[in-house]
Amino acid sequence: MSFNDEYSSDDDESIIDRKSTNVHLGFLDIEIPDSKDGVSEENSPTIEDTILGGQPVWLHPDSLPAPKLVTCDSCGQKMALYLQAFAPFKERLYDRVLYILGCTNTQQCSKKKGTVKAIRGIIKDPVKMADLKREQENALQKQLDEKLQLEAKTKLRDELTKNLFGNSKAENPFAATGSNPFTSSNPFDKKVPPAKEESKSPLSPASVPAKPTYSSVAGKNVVAQAKTASPKYTLPEYPGYFVYVEKEHLKKITLEPELEKYKHLIDSNSIEEEEPSGGSTSTSAGVLNAQASKISNMLQDTVFENFTNTVQHNPGQVLRYDLGGKPLLYNGKDDVCKRFGQTPFNIPNPGYNPSSSRQFEIQVMPKAILDLENAETADLNTLLNGMSWGTIIVCTDVEDYMPEESFDENHVAYIEEYCAVQWEESV
């Protein structure tokens, strides 16, 4: 599902007094079937799905990103998919997908540069783009026909209305004459003033822009010489889930989502302070107390407080999408906050298109950690030594430009985009 569509929930919850925003949220749907079980392709994710975890679905089975794009810059191991988002632009005729990956070697690579990456991929298949262009032209022509029909009906109604008063002046008792006292003030004798010139409708033929051809849409992206597709490889993976998308609604807060990561541990381990024996229980208690202290420090941060207050409206969100908007910052004490705490954002322009700039597009939320690491069944060591980021923020080129040499023989291209991580430990 793309972010141009909205999921219609069957939830019975009342939406009275709920405020809608421009942000789209992603929530877990069903688990992706294991391909080893022989499931049909109909049940497998496609590039038009948004998924959490699992194996990425590349834009063409023979076109994968360069190995460097999916390799951790710290340890050199292949990274796993966190999130794949189908995010086409409405005015463009090609498919567009975002991939966010992270290193699974969390103990060694946490907080290091290049251990979490974002990739933007596009596919400009001329055949599919031509089909999409025909669909757009047909839809536009249908709108024009409906508009012309409406105008014709309106004109006919106006003519019929005028004919009701079409009698000659000799028969009109209110006709203007030299002795008629109502000559200058009779409202029925006024000529209908000429209609004001109608402002050009976006659908009027004079103002409808010429439909883009493949070459004009591609612009700077026309492929001069396609390169050969990359060799195939397989990535490590987390459990995979389909994700559905709906607009953000702010509602009454009933949950404390930031404590969910630790709730089941506290319940299952039943930590008691009365056993200072130095055993595993006291060690676990000490670790959890340190985590509790860290959370307490976070709560003194107004940026983090805003983060938790916003998330509490929709605690199940695993992603936030707001193209051209502002990210929801996890804390106010790191360099990432400094970059996004000013207008415009202090983020680097794309090196592959330096005359352009970048805009915020998507971020991964901490609830995703619970699902990727199966937190409900994970042991203490896995949880405390696993992923420790608060949010992952991705910004993309406003022009959606792709260097022509990036396209391969299947009309596919991938490029790395700006990815900022706010880590829990940085608070």
Side-chain angles (χ1 to χ4, degrees):
M1 176 179 291
S2 78
F3 299 97
N4 295 327
D5 305 319
E6 288 186 33
Y7 177 86
S8 178
S9 175
D10 295 327
D11 193 356
D12 292 331
E13 181 183 6
S14 172
I15 60 173
I16 298 177
D17 297 329
R18 294 177 69 191
K19 178 183 177 182
S20 178
T21 74
N22 293 325
V23 179
H24 282 79
L25 305 179
F27 300 90
L28 250 61
D29 201 343
I30 61 173
E31 188 171 359
I32 297 174
D34 191 340
S35 58
K36 298 178 181 179
D37 296 337
V39 296
S40 65
E41 291 186 2
E42 296 180 359
N43 298 323
S44 300
T46 69
I47 65 168
E48 296 185 0
D49 290 308
T50 294
I51 61 175
L52 184 77
Q55 282 290 328
V57 182
W58 304 119
L59 293 169
H60 188 281
D62 296 325
S63 298
L64 281 63
K68 177 177 174 55
L69 294 180
V70 298
T71 300
C72 174
D73 291 347
S74 175
C75 68
Q77 297 180 11
K78 289 289 190 296
M79 298 185 293
L81 179 70
Y82 286 166
L83 179 76
Q84 172 179 325
F86 181 57
F89 287 171
K90 287 185 178 180
E91 69 275 14
R92 307 296 173 92
L93 297 176
Y94 52 81
D95 286 329
R96 177 177 183 275
V97 177
L98 301 176
Y99 304 88
I100 302 172
L101 306 98
C103 183
T104 58
N105 190 4
T106 53
Q107 284 186 292
Q108 176 182 332
C109 296
S110 181
K111 295 199 299 181
K112 293 184 180 179
K113 184 178 179 181
T115 60
V116 178
K117 295 182 180 180
I119 300 173
R120 173 172 57 90
I122 62 177
I123 178 170
K124 293 189 173 183
D125 183 350
V127 175
K128 185 172 183 179
M129 291 177 69
D131 291 339
L132 291 173
K133 180 183 176 182
R134 280 193 294 271
E135 290 178 7
Q136 287 188 358
E137 289 176 339
N138 292 338
L140 180 60
Q141 187 60 51
K142 182 178 179 181
Q143 290 179 320
L144 287 171
D145 292 343
E146 292 175 351
K147 181 177 183 294
L148 292 174
Q149 291 176 6
L150 179 61
E151 290 177 345
K153 290 180 180 179
T154 302
K155 184 176 180 180
L156 177 61
R157 182 189 62 200
D158 291 344
E159 290 295 331
L160 291 174
T161 303
K162 286 171 61 178
N163 289 337
L164 294 176
F165 304 100
N167 295 330
S168 65
K169 290 184 179 181
E171 298 173 344
N172 187 352
F174 297 102
T177 64
S179 60
N180 189 343
F182 298 103
T183 299
S184 61
S185 60
N186 185 357
F188 295 97
D189 193 46
K190 291 180 180 179
K191 292 183 178 180
V192 178
K196 294 182 179 179
E197 183 179 354
E198 184 180 0
S199 60
K200 290 184 178 180
S201 165
L203 300 179
S204 63
S207 61
V208 174
K211 295 305 295 178
T213 62
Y214 170 68
S215 59
S216 66
V217 170
K220 294 184 288 185
N221 299 318
V222 176
V223 183
Q225 187 174 6
K227 66 176 184 179
T228 304
S230 301
K232 293 185 179 181
Y233 49 75
T234 302
L235 301 180
E237 65 181 275
Y238 293 103
Y241 305 88
F242 287 99
V243 173
Y244 68 88
V245 178
E246 65 180 22
K247 293 203 75 173
E248 179 181 44
H249 296 286
L250 305 179
K251 56 187 179 181
K252 184 177 179 181
I253 299 172
T254 57
L255 296 175
E256 296 288 339
E258 290 303 316
L259 298 180
E260 288 184 356
K261 183 173 180 179
Y262 309 99
K263 181 178 181 300
H264 82 282
L265 293 175
I266 296 173
D267 292 343
S268 62
N269 287 288
S270 301
I271 300 173
E272 299 180 1
E273 298 182 357
E274 60 185 40
E275 293 187 60
S277 59
S280 59
T281 301
S282 61
T283 301
S284 300
V287 173
L288 289 177
N289 286 337
Q291 294 292 334
S293 177
K294 185 182 299 181
I295 293 174
S296 177
N297 292 333
M298 288 178 177
L299 294 176
Q300 297 176 18
D301 180 358
T302 56
V303 173
F304 179 76
E305 182 179 4
N306 177 65
F307 182 94
T308 55
N309 289 342
T310 303
V311 171
Q312 284 174 359
H313 291 280
N314 297 278
Q317 60 185 279
V318 295
L319 69 88
R320 296 175 66 85
Y321 187 93
D322 187 13
L323 182 65
K326 295 182 179 181
L328 182 62
L329 297 175
Y330 185 71
N331 74 75
K333 302 177 182 179
D334 62 3
D335 291 338
V336 175
C337 182
K338 293 177 182 178
R339 287 185 177 276
F340 289 96
Q342 53 185 285
T343 305
F345 301 146
N346 181 25
I347 55 178
N349 293 338
Y352 54 84
N353 190 19
S355 62
S356 182
S357 60
R358 282 190 170 106
Q359 61 186 341
F360 168 69
E361 184 163 359
I362 194 171
Q363 70 185 108
V364 189
M365 303 299 286
K367 170 63 167 57
I369 297 178
L370 304 179
D371 303 309
L372 293 171
E373 294 186 337
N374 279 331
E376 291 186 0
T377 58
D379 57 30
L380 181 67
N381 182 65
T382 299
L383 198 58
L384 297 181
N385 293 307
M387 289 179 277
S388 58
W389 43 263
T391 189
I392 301 170
I393 300 170
V394 176
C395 298
T396 56
D397 181 16
V398 296
E399 296 180 357
D400 208 38
Y401 170 66
M402 189 70 74
E404 59 184 43
E405 65 272 12
S406 299
F407 288 90
D408 66 13
E409 57 193 14
N410 298 314
H411 315 288
V412 173
Y414 300 97
I415 204 159
E416 186 174 355
E417 287 287 11
Y418 178 78
C419 182
V421 184
Q422 289 194 294
W423 303 93
E424 283 188 355
E425 292 87 352
S426 64
V427 178

